[in-house]
Amino acid sequence: MNDVTDKPNKNPIILLIAIGVLLSAGLFYGMMQFAENENLFMVILTAVAVGLLAVAITKVISYYYQSKNL
């Protein structure tokens, strides 16, 4: 029986966010390196990659919480 006060285990979410932060930091670092080398295409490409990573992490977290509430 599910109790209203039951909360899903947050350990996988914390791990996912930590991995996302590390990947985003690496992508931002690469983007700055490409900007120093004046490579506009790679700067735009890494900015898109950061955005896609953020959307993917949001979708996974949303799916995790929706599956726990069923």
Side-chain angles (χ1 to χ4, degrees), residues 19-52:
I19 291 170
V21 166
L22 290 174
L23 286 174
S24 293
L27 285 170
F28 272 110
Y29 178 76
M31 186 169 49
M32 293 302 132
Q33 294 299 320
F34 291 132
E36 286 179 3
N37 294 333
E38 298 176 357
N39 191 346
L40 180 62
F41 177 72
M42 289 304 291
V43 169
I44 292 171
L45 192 63
T46 52
V48 169
V50 168
L52 290 175

Side-chain angles (χ1 to χ4, degrees):
M1 184 164 122
N2 284 342
D3 189 45
V4 176
T5 59
D6 283 345
K7 293 185 179 178
N9 187 5
K10 293 189 184 220
N11 289 336
I13 299 299
I14 293 171
L15 180 63
L16 178 68
I17 291 174
I19 291 170
V21 166
L22 290 174
L23 286 174
S24 293
L27 285 170
F28 272 110
Y29 178 76
M31 186 169 49
M32 293 302 132
Q33 294 299 320
F34 291 132
E36 286 179 3
N37 294 333
E38 298 176 357
N39 191 346
L40 180 62
F41 177 72
M42 289 304 291
V43 169
I44 292 171
L45 192 63
T46 52
V48 169
V50 168
L52 290 175
L53 179 67
V55 168
I57 290 173
T58 304
K59 292 285 185 181
V60 170
I61 291 172
S62 172
Y63 176 76
Y64 178 76
Y65 277 113
Q66 287 177 357
S67 67
K68 288 293 183 178
N69 289 334
L70 293 177

